[in-house]
Amino acid sequence: MTVTLRSLETALPPTVLVQSEVRDAFATQPGLTRLGERLVRTCFNSAAIDTRRTALTELSLTDTSEHPLFYDAASGLLLRPSTKTRNDIFAVEATKLFIEAAAKALDACAGITAADITHVITVSCTGFFNPGPDYKVTRALGLNPSVQRYHLGFMGCYAAFPAMRAAKSFCEADPGAVVLVVSAELCSLHVRTSNDPDAIMGSSLFADGAAAAVITAREDLPDSGPAIALDHFETILTPVGEEAMAWNIGDEGFEMVLGTYVPHIIDDHIIGALKPLLAHDEAVSSRPYREIEHWAIHPGGRSILDKVEAKLDLTEQQLMPARETLRTVGNMSSATVLFVLKSILEQPFTGGNERICSMAFGPGLTVETGLFTRVGGPAVAAVPAEQGAEDTVPAQIPAAV
């Protein structure tokens, strides 16, 4: 039985953040120390990001709301709304992205209708409400009211992997199952001005977006183009790093903890984390990493991608889907690796069995990995990538994950 991701679609909020403009707004906030201002400019300049998306129209820096909550364009001040205020916005704006991405994935899956969906798995770590996004998607798409619903909350950037792994298990248990997986994150809800290096890094990096996939083992469906066979998943906890990465709830939003040692932990343990995954397939485990055709790495930050590329001796082209995702839409936490997988699906397909090794990192320190096979017809050629920024991050600045 082959469990296949048969459609993969994304959704973005309309407001575009231009990295240089947001940098200047954050760097001129009152209360920043000289070091804090320097960290803001260096982090933003070194993030290898050109643009991001946000559900907060105020962060366009030109919005003239009469009662601003996050940014007052008249004074140029970043405001400090409560966690409740931020979460109330999440309940409204995240719902829109959950539904949009889910509807697009369902429409793109040939032979599947709303009546065929047997399971819904939603994912997010940037807000909470109940009835939750699994309920909202079910109602909005007109799914069967008896559909099995699950929500994976507050797991962090790697959460798309547990969601896909659960979908694979459901399909293996029931060959007729059709699972809709939807991830939506509003990371920009939690940005704030601060002299804290972790908060500065989060402000320079995180963004909003959603992605959805239809996963099934059904063999009676028409060919709808390129797809991904979900071969195997593994999860590893590194022996160190429990305090190096965390996602906590504060009075003024969620607070990221991201130690400067995180890239070194990944550098030290990435080979060991891959061993149990690649051992699942002898034909893959015996090949040099560079010979695995595609690498869908969660682009948590530029330094992480640099470490992965160097440690595994990968080519620039193999990391391009991750780097281009980071450059154009930033780090959207759990949804981001699905954007990278979609980018790989849109590359020209030469036929045969193209393997994909995928990986994401999160609190714990947790390393989630997946081994996939790209299958199906020819895809639309991707737009040629542009070169990212060449600045480096000083040693004292947290290198994002």
Side-chain angles (χ1 to χ4, degrees), residues 342-386:
K342 181 172 174 59
S343 176
I344 290 172
L345 279 177
E346 291 173 347
Q347 294 180 11
F349 181 60
T350 58
N353 293 323
E354 295 183 4
R355 305 311 295 273
I356 304 171
C357 188
S358 190
M359 180 181 301
F361 317 95
L365 185 74
T366 302
V367 182
E368 288 280 353
T369 57
L371 183 62
F372 312 137
T373 303
R374 185 180 175 208
V375 296
V380 178
V383 176
E386 297 178 11

Tab-separated table of all heavy atoms in Angstrom, residues 342-386:
chain	number	residue	atom	x	y	z
A	342	LYS	N	6.063	22.033	-1.963
A	342	LYS	CA	5.329	22.486	-3.136
A	342	LYS	C	6.289	23.026	-4.190
A	342	LYS	O	6.118	22.784	-5.401
A	342	LYS	CB	4.309	23.551	-2.749
A	342	LYS	CG	3.480	24.058	-3.930
A	342	LYS	CD	2.355	24.962	-3.477
A	342	LYS	CE	1.628	25.590	-4.666
A	342	LYS	NZ	1.049	24.581	-5.572
A	343	SER	N	7.307	23.735	-3.751
A	343	SER	CA	8.307	24.239	-4.687
A	343	SER	C	9.001	23.095	-5.417
A	343	SER	O	9.243	23.170	-6.629
A	343	SER	CB	9.339	25.089	-3.940
A	343	SER	OG	10.365	25.521	-4.800
A	344	ILE	N	9.291	22.017	-4.700
A	344	ILE	CA	9.918	20.850	-5.333
A	344	ILE	C	8.967	20.205	-6.336
A	344	ILE	O	9.366	19.793	-7.428
A	344	ILE	CB	10.362	19.853	-4.253
A	344	ILE	CG1	11.543	20.440	-3.469
A	344	ILE	CG2	10.741	18.502	-4.856
A	344	ILE	CD1	11.952	19.626	-2.259
A	345	LEU	N	7.691	20.126	-5.992
A	345	LEU	CA	6.707	19.563	-6.919
A	345	LEU	C	6.603	20.382	-8.204
A	345	LEU	O	6.243	19.849	-9.260
A	345	LEU	CB	5.336	19.488	-6.252
A	345	LEU	CG	5.084	18.304	-5.317
A	345	LEU	CD1	3.706	18.429	-4.679
A	345	LEU	CD2	5.207	16.985	-6.060
A	346	GLU	N	6.894	21.657	-8.135
A	346	GLU	CA	6.766	22.527	-9.300
A	346	GLU	C	8.013	22.527	-10.175
A	346	GLU	O	8.043	23.185	-11.212
A	346	GLU	CB	6.431	23.948	-8.841
A	346	GLU	CG	5.029	24.048	-8.248
A	346	GLU	CD	4.734	25.402	-7.626
A	346	GLU	OE1	5.699	26.187	-7.435
A	346	GLU	OE2	3.562	25.659	-7.325
A	347	GLN	N	9.050	21.807	-9.747
A	347	GLN	CA	10.222	21.679	-10.597
A	347	GLN	C	9.947	20.694	-11.732
A	347	GLN	O	9.081	19.820	-11.610
A	347	GLN	CB	11.421	21.197	-9.764
A	347	GLN	CG	11.889	22.192	-8.722
A	347	GLN	CD	13.076	21.674	-7.931
A	347	GLN	OE1	13.676	20.665	-8.288
A	347	GLN	NE2	13.415	22.359	-6.852
A	348	PRO	N	10.680	20.813	-12.854
A	348	PRO	CA	10.491	19.851	-13.951
A	348	PRO	C	10.710	18.425	-13.476
A	348	PRO	O	11.627	18.149	-12.696
A	348	PRO	CB	11.563	20.269	-14.955
A	348	PRO	CG	11.831	21.701	-14.652
A	348	PRO	CD	11.664	21.847	-13.168
A	349	PHE	N	9.842	17.544	-13.918
A	349	PHE	CA	9.890	16.135	-13.503
A	349	PHE	C	10.397	15.289	-14.664
A	349	PHE	O	9.823	15.290	-15.744
A	349	PHE	CB	8.495	15.675	-13.072
A	349	PHE	CG	8.428	14.258	-12.594
A	349	PHE	CD1	9.173	13.848	-11.503
A	349	PHE	CD2	7.614	13.335	-13.222
A	349	PHE	CE1	9.101	12.540	-11.048
A	349	PHE	CE2	7.535	12.024	-12.777
A	349	PHE	CZ	8.278	11.624	-11.688
A	350	THR	N	11.501	14.591	-14.439
A	350	THR	CA	12.118	13.811	-15.517
A	350	THR	C	11.643	12.373	-15.542
A	350	THR	O	12.046	11.600	-16.407
A	350	THR	CB	13.647	13.825	-15.354
A	350	THR	OG1	13.999	13.286	-14.066
A	350	THR	CG2	14.187	15.247	-15.449
A	351	GLY	N	10.786	11.991	-14.615
A	351	GLY	CA	10.308	10.614	-14.552
A	351	GLY	C	11.148	9.784	-13.601
A	351	GLY	O	12.127	10.239	-13.031
A	352	GLY	N	10.739	8.534	-13.423
A	352	GLY	CA	11.463	7.680	-12.497
A	352	GLY	C	11.063	7.954	-11.063
A	352	GLY	O	10.019	8.552	-10.780
A	353	ASN	N	11.909	7.530	-10.145
A	353	ASN	CA	11.641	7.700	-8.724
A	353	ASN	C	12.606	8.726	-8.135
A	353	ASN	O	13.727	8.403	-7.772
A	353	ASN	CB	11.781	6.364	-7.984
A	353	ASN	CG	10.716	5.373	-8.395
A	353	ASN	OD1	9.577	5.749	-8.640
A	353	ASN	ND2	11.084	4.107	-8.476
A	354	GLU	N	12.163	9.965	-8.094
A	354	GLU	CA	12.964	11.015	-7.495
A	354	GLU	C	12.711	11.024	-5.990
A	354	GLU	O	11.578	11.173	-5.544
A	354	GLU	CB	12.608	12.376	-8.100
A	354	GLU	CG	12.927	12.514	-9.568
A	354	GLU	CD	12.612	13.897	-10.095
A	354	GLU	OE1	12.221	14.771	-9.295
A	354	GLU	OE2	12.753	14.115	-11.308
A	355	ARG	N	13.771	10.876	-5.225
A	355	ARG	CA	13.619	10.812	-3.771
A	355	ARG	C	13.716	12.201	-3.161
A	355	ARG	O	14.455	13.077	-3.635
A	355	ARG	CB	14.680	9.892	-3.153
A	355	ARG	CG	14.709	8.489	-3.719
A	355	ARG	CD	13.333	7.830	-3.779
A	355	ARG	NE	12.739	7.592	-2.481
A	355	ARG	CZ	12.961	6.487	-1.751
A	355	ARG	NH1	13.774	5.533	-2.199
A	355	ARG	NH2	12.370	6.307	-0.606
A	356	ILE	N	12.980	12.390	-2.097
A	356	ILE	CA	12.979	13.636	-1.332
A	356	ILE	C	13.293	13.304	0.116
A	356	ILE	O	12.618	12.470	0.727
A	356	ILE	CB	11.619	14.351	-1.398
A	356	ILE	CG1	11.201	14.620	-2.842
A	356	ILE	CG2	11.646	15.648	-0.591
A	356	ILE	CD1	9.766	15.123	-2.971
A	357	CYS	N	14.298	13.949	0.667
A	357	CYS	CA	14.568	13.853	2.099
A	357	CYS	C	14.173	15.185	2.719
A	357	CYS	O	14.609	16.245	2.261
A	357	CYS	CB	16.045	13.565	2.354
A	357	CYS	SG	16.407	13.197	4.086
A	358	SER	N	13.326	15.142	3.732
A	358	SER	CA	12.791	16.355	4.327
A	358	SER	C	13.087	16.389	5.818
A	358	SER	O	13.171	15.336	6.472
A	358	SER	CB	11.277	16.435	4.083
A	358	SER	OG	10.767	17.700	4.444
A	359	MET	N	13.203	17.609	6.364
A	359	MET	CA	13.641	17.731	7.749
A	359	MET	C	13.188	19.062	8.330
A	359	MET	O	13.144	20.080	7.635
A	359	MET	CB	15.169	17.632	7.793
A	359	MET	CG	15.797	17.733	9.163
A	359	MET	SD	17.611	17.636	9.052
A	359	MET	CE	17.824	16.034	8.285
A	360	ALA	N	12.829	19.043	9.621
A	360	ALA	CA	12.506	20.274	10.345
A	360	ALA	C	12.955	20.128	11.791
A	360	ALA	O	13.095	19.012	12.308
A	360	ALA	CB	11.017	20.589	10.272
A	361	PHE	N	13.157	21.269	12.443
A	361	PHE	CA	13.693	21.300	13.800
A	361	PHE	C	12.752	22.094	14.698
A	361	PHE	O	12.080	23.029	14.252
A	361	PHE	CB	15.070	21.962	13.806
A	361	PHE	CG	15.948	21.516	12.674
A	361	PHE	CD1	16.019	22.247	11.501
A	361	PHE	CD2	16.686	20.342	12.770
A	361	PHE	CE1	16.808	21.841	10.443
A	361	PHE	CE2	17.472	19.926	11.713
A	361	PHE	CZ	17.543	20.668	10.548
A	362	GLY	N	12.719	21.739	15.993
A	362	GLY	CA	11.845	22.459	16.903
A	362	GLY	C	12.230	22.236	18.348
A	362	GLY	O	13.271	21.632	18.652
A	363	PRO	N	11.396	22.732	19.264
A	363	PRO	CA	11.704	22.646	20.691
A	363	PRO	C	12.013	21.217	21.118
A	363	PRO	O	11.399	20.262	20.647
A	363	PRO	CB	10.427	23.166	21.358
A	363	PRO	CG	9.842	24.096	20.340
A	363	PRO	CD	10.139	23.456	19.012
A	364	GLY	N	13.013	21.109	21.958
A	364	GLY	CA	13.332	19.778	22.477
A	364	GLY	C	14.776	19.459	22.752
A	364	GLY	O	15.072	19.019	23.812
A	365	LEU	N	15.697	19.593	21.873
A	365	LEU	CA	15.593	19.935	20.468
A	365	LEU	C	15.125	18.708	19.688
A	365	LEU	O	15.724	17.637	19.784
A	365	LEU	CB	16.959	20.414	19.953
A	365	LEU	CG	17.012	20.927	18.538
A	365	LEU	CD1	16.411	22.283	18.339
A	365	LEU	CD2	18.443	20.917	18.028
A	366	THR	N	14.054	18.883	18.922
A	366	THR	CA	13.435	17.813	18.155
A	366	THR	C	13.831	17.919	16.696
A	366	THR	O	13.797	19.009	16.119
A	366	THR	CB	11.900	17.893	18.266
A	366	THR	OG1	11.514	17.825	19.637
A	366	THR	CG2	11.236	16.767	17.492
A	367	VAL	N	14.195	16.787	16.104
A	367	VAL	CA	14.466	16.729	14.670
A	367	VAL	C	13.469	15.751	14.056
A	367	VAL	O	13.473	14.562	14.379
A	367	VAL	CB	15.902	16.261	14.370
A	367	VAL	CG1	16.160	16.274	12.860
A	367	VAL	CG2	16.923	17.131	15.089
A	368	GLU	N	12.608	16.261	13.194
A	368	GLU	CA	11.637	15.424	12.476
A	368	GLU	C	12.115	15.255	11.038
A	368	GLU	O	12.537	16.222	10.389
A	368	GLU	CB	10.254	16.066	12.476
A	368	GLU	CG	9.550	16.049	13.811
A	368	GLU	CD	8.900	14.699	14.118
A	368	GLU	OE1	8.889	13.831	13.209
A	368	GLU	OE2	8.405	14.532	15.241
A	369	THR	N	12.056	14.024	10.533
A	369	THR	CA	12.514	13.748	9.177
A	369	THR	C	11.486	12.910	8.417
A	369	THR	O	10.710	12.161	9.008
A	369	THR	CB	13.854	12.994	9.193
A	369	THR	OG1	13.718	11.784	9.949
A	369	THR	CG2	14.960	13.840	9.807
A	370	GLY	N	11.511	13.058	7.104
A	370	GLY	CA	10.622	12.269	6.244
A	370	GLY	C	11.338	11.889	4.963
A	370	GLY	O	12.098	12.691	4.400
A	371	LEU	N	11.125	10.666	4.518
A	371	LEU	CA	11.666	10.178	3.250
A	371	LEU	C	10.501	9.953	2.303
A	371	LEU	O	9.576	9.191	2.606
A	371	LEU	CB	12.442	8.875	3.458
A	371	LEU	CG	13.130	8.294	2.226
A	371	LEU	CD1	14.181	9.251	1.690
A	371	LEU	CD2	13.754	6.942	2.556
A	372	PHE	N	10.534	10.631	1.156
A	372	PHE	CA	9.424	10.614	0.217
A	372	PHE	C	9.922	10.254	-1.181
A	372	PHE	O	11.116	10.283	-1.464
A	372	PHE	CB	8.735	11.983	0.156
A	372	PHE	CG	8.414	12.594	1.490
A	372	PHE	CD1	8.653	13.939	1.731
A	372	PHE	CD2	7.870	11.836	2.515
A	372	PHE	CE1	8.357	14.515	2.957
A	372	PHE	CE2	7.566	12.392	3.745
A	372	PHE	CZ	7.819	13.738	3.964
A	373	THR	N	8.966	9.924	-2.062
A	373	THR	CA	9.261	9.707	-3.478
A	373	THR	C	8.348	10.580	-4.301
A	373	THR	O	7.121	10.553	-4.132
A	373	THR	CB	9.059	8.231	-3.869
A	373	THR	OG1	9.876	7.398	-3.050
A	373	THR	CG2	9.435	8.016	-5.331
A	374	ARG	N	8.928	11.352	-5.205
A	374	ARG	CA	8.137	12.187	-6.098
A	374	ARG	C	7.663	11.349	-7.277
A	374	ARG	O	8.457	10.695	-7.948
A	374	ARG	CB	8.979	13.361	-6.594
A	374	ARG	CG	8.213	14.364	-7.433
A	374	ARG	CD	9.125	15.484	-7.867
A	374	ARG	NE	8.434	16.402	-8.763
A	374	ARG	CZ	9.037	17.129	-9.684
A	374	ARG	NH1	10.344	17.020	-9.843
A	374	ARG	NH2	8.359	17.939	-10.453
A	375	VAL	N	6.358	11.375	-7.519
A	375	VAL	CA	5.778	10.553	-8.571
A	375	VAL	C	4.824	11.413	-9.389
A	375	VAL	O	4.426	12.502	-8.981
A	375	VAL	CB	5.022	9.338	-8.003
A	375	VAL	CG1	5.968	8.405	-7.269
A	375	VAL	CG2	3.908	9.785	-7.048
A	376	GLY	N	4.416	10.926	-10.553
A	376	GLY	CA	3.399	11.610	-11.339
A	376	GLY	C	3.954	12.252	-12.574
A	376	GLY	O	5.123	12.092	-12.934
A	377	GLY	N	3.101	13.019	-13.236
A	377	GLY	CA	3.433	13.624	-14.522
A	377	GLY	C	4.310	14.844	-14.388
A	377	GLY	O	4.706	15.242	-13.291
A	378	PRO	N	4.653	15.471	-15.532
A	378	PRO	CA	5.537	16.638	-15.531
A	378	PRO	C	4.903	17.818	-14.816
A	378	PRO	O	3.696	18.031	-14.882
A	378	PRO	CB	5.755	16.928	-17.014
A	378	PRO	CG	4.573	16.310	-17.691
A	378	PRO	CD	4.215	15.106	-16.892
A	379	ALA	N	5.738	18.588	-14.133
A	379	ALA	CA	5.264	19.755	-13.399
A	379	ALA	C	5.625	21.019	-14.150
A	379	ALA	O	6.401	21.011	-15.094
A	379	ALA	CB	5.874	19.784	-12.001
A	380	VAL	N	5.080	22.141	-13.692
A	380	VAL	CA	5.415	23.439	-14.252
A	380	VAL	C	6.815	23.811	-13.793
A	380	VAL	O	7.157	23.671	-12.616
A	380	VAL	CB	4.404	24.506	-13.779
A	380	VAL	CG1	4.782	25.876	-14.311
A	380	VAL	CG2	3.005	24.120	-14.236
A	381	ALA	N	7.626	24.302	-14.689
A	381	ALA	CA	8.992	24.670	-14.337
A	381	ALA	C	8.984	25.827	-13.350
A	381	ALA	O	8.198	26.768	-13.469
A	381	ALA	CB	9.778	25.058	-15.586
A	382	ALA	N	9.856	25.753	-12.370
A	382	ALA	CA	9.938	26.803	-11.369
A	382	ALA	C	10.624	28.036	-11.948
A	382	ALA	O	11.433	27.950	-12.866
A	382	ALA	CB	10.726	26.305	-10.153
A	383	VAL	N	10.305	29.222	-11.387
A	383	VAL	CA	10.961	30.455	-11.795
A	383	VAL	C	12.409	30.408	-11.334
A	383	VAL	O	12.691	30.002	-10.200
A	383	VAL	CB	10.250	31.670	-11.158
A	383	VAL	CG1	10.988	32.960	-11.488
A	383	VAL	CG2	8.815	31.731	-11.644
A	384	PRO	N	13.381	30.811	-12.164
A	384	PRO	CA	14.779	30.786	-11.746
A	384	PRO	C	14.984	31.567	-10.470
A	384	PRO	O	14.425	32.644	-10.280
A	384	PRO	CB	15.516	31.442	-12.922
A	384	PRO	CG	14.601	31.244	-14.089
A	384	PRO	CD	13.208	31.276	-13.535
A	385	ALA	N	15.774	30.993	-9.574
A	385	ALA	CA	15.980	31.616	-8.268
A	385	ALA	C	16.940	32.800	-8.370
A	385	ALA	O	17.813	32.848	-9.217
A	385	ALA	CB	16.552	30.584	-7.293
A	386	GLU	N	16.751	33.762	-7.472
A	386	GLU	CA	17.669	34.872	-7.364
A	386	GLU	C	18.610	34.626	-6.194
A	386	GLU	O	18.285	33.918	-5.250
A	386	GLU	CB	16.902	36.174	-7.126
A	386	GLU	CG	15.978	36.540	-8.279
A	386	GLU	CD	15.201	37.812	-7.982
A	386	GLU	OE1	15.548	38.488	-6.998
A	386	GLU	OE2	14.265	38.102	-8.725
